[in-house]
Amino acid sequence: MDPALALAIFALGLAFGSFLNVCIYRLPRGVPVTVPRSACPKCGNLIHFYDNVPILSWMILRGRCRHCQARISPRYLVVELLTGGLFLACYAHFGLTLATLKYCAFGFLLLGLIFTDAETQLLPDKMTLPGLVLGLLFSLVVPVNDLVSQVLPLFSAPAGGASWRWLSLADALTGALVGASFLYGAGAIYLRARGVHGMGFGDVKLMAMVGAFLGIRLTIFTIFAASIAGSLVGLWTVWVVWMKRTRRRMARHHESAREARRRAWGSAAVALRRFPMPFGVFLGSMAMVAFFLGDRFFRWYWRLL
Ligand SMILES: [Zn+2]
């Protein structure tokens, strides 16, 4: 790893992170990202270029608007640092290759979707659909090398030197199809079982995009890992609400521990049903885990069998 190049790539990541913050704020609100200048959402004053330097400006202004002192969310700082870290990690993991470019672009989109879903429970089409197309295009230059590429040549000899590109594209298309149909199926089952929409079409399109970038195996890995992570967070939420309400009932209503626990359980169950679970956050973060660690996980898993 060349330290000067690593620093440059990190700085480039910070700049992209700064732009991503603009997308996270504007896309769900329907504001075009092409309008050049940002304004403070509270006082409407335009933000000068010297107040828009990644990390430094946030630190110097201590997370407040220069004019009206309105708080600026620490998300701006976090997204810049994460994008910088992502670009650096891609360079460290994949070297100076087209794969680095592919995973920088993919991770950039995922970070945008994760934070937009966390803030607004929306996964904008303007991120997922171009992402799907980009994933398919990247499969033509960076081999996805999944099931189709490995199984199909066993049956028919490859026709000509360029054929790996078509196999790779077939892998990306299959990945997108598998990802989207898994989420569509899960959403349909959820709707039947609970009578409410648990997952939207945003999640379906997100997983089509993830499938196009990652292929079938890592897409399935992403869905399972996200389900486990989501369930753990859900259970933990219920546990925390249950314990808090039990303690409150005992203190306020002087109920016995047993009675308080029983009644608090009811309200914890209601809290879980009302708690909007941003599943896109879990899918997005596990997709990122998948492209750094998924292959290592599969090697470990096959050795276990
Ligand atoms: Zn302001």
Side-chain angles (χ1 to χ4, degrees):
M1 221 167 84
D2 177 1
L5 192 58
L7 195 67
I9 287 174
F10 181 67
L12 188 69
L14 293 181
F16 269 89
S18 187
F19 173 64
L20 194 54
N21 274 316
V22 175
C23 298
I24 294 168
Y25 180 79
R26 290 186 186 178
L27 286 181
R29 290 170 176 81
V31 183
V33 290
T34 43
V35 177
R37 296 282 291 276
S38 299
C40 167
K42 187 100 179 280
C43 67
N45 272 303
L46 290 177
I47 295 163
H48 299 291
F49 71 92
Y50 52 80
D51 283 343
N52 223 346
V53 182
I55 302 179
L56 289 181
S57 295
W58 200 94
M59 305 262 264
I60 290 166
L61 296 171
R62 299 203 182 152
R64 287 179 186 280
C65 168
R66 181 185 287 279
H67 306 282
C68 70
Q69 304 295 310
R71 276 203 156 281
I72 303 165
S73 160
R75 186 258 290 163
Y76 284 86
L77 190 67
V78 172
V79 168
E80 282 164 1
L81 280 173
L82 282 176
T83 315
L86 164 83
F87 278 32
L88 196 59
C90 285
Y91 171 51
H93 198 263
F94 301 103
L96 206 58
T97 60
L98 279 173
T100 295
L101 189 65
K102 167 179 165 168
Y103 290 112
C104 282
F106 183 40
F108 171 82
L109 288 166
L110 287 176
L111 280 177
L113 287 159
I114 289 169
F115 280 89
T116 308
D117 195 25
E119 278 182 18
T120 61
Q121 275 85 53
L122 290 171
L123 295 164
D125 284 353
K126 283 190 173 150
M127 291 191 205
T128 50
L129 298 182
L132 170 62
V133 174
L134 199 63
L136 295 175
L137 289 177
F138 262 115
S139 76
L140 293 170
V141 286
V142 182
V144 178
N145 194 21
D146 212 312
L147 296 180
V148 179
S149 301
Q150 288 161 12
V151 174
L152 209 61
L154 300 178
F155 297 103
S156 64
S163 67
W164 72 263
R165 291 181 204 278
W166 296 114
L167 291 174
S168 177
L169 180 64
D171 266 328
L173 280 168
T174 327
L177 206 66
V178 167
S181 30
F182 237 102
L183 262 284
Y184 185 79
I189 292 168
Y190 193 92
L191 183 61
R192 273 264 170 99
R194 311 247 328 240
V196 286
H197 283 283
M199 270 165 277
F201 272 101
D203 293 301
V204 175
K205 285 175 243 175
L206 167 66
M207 280 318 291
M209 169 188 129
V210 169
F213 274 98
L214 294 183
I216 310 152
R217 273 180 310 177
L218 290 178
T219 298
I220 293 173
F221 169 89
T222 302
I223 293 170
F224 275 93
S227 312
I228 293 168
S231 312
L232 288 179
V233 170
L235 286 176
W236 181 75
T237 311
V238 171
W239 174 258
V240 169
V241 173
W242 189 23
M243 288 299 115
K244 262 196 194 154
R245 301 253 163 113
T246 304
R247 240 172 282 143
R248 204 169 65 190
R249 291 199 86 90
M250 283 169 72
R252 267 199 211 154
H253 306 287
H254 306 291
E255 290 172 356
S256 70
R258 199 193 152 117
E259 182 66 11
R261 262 202 295 274
R262 196 181 60 77
R263 296 209 172 163
W265 175 251
S267 49
V270 171
L272 178 69
R273 221 168 300 147
R274 293 219 186 115
F275 176 67
M277 190 73 129
F279 198 46
V281 172
F282 296 101
L283 289 170
S285 6
M286 288 307 136
M288 242 182 294
V289 170
F291 70 77
F292 283 119
L293 301 174
D295 282 329
R296 199 175 292 178
F297 168 81
F298 277 110
R299 272 201 300 276
W300 168 79
Y301 185 72
W302 290 129
R303 242 178 319 194
L304 278 188
L305 291 181

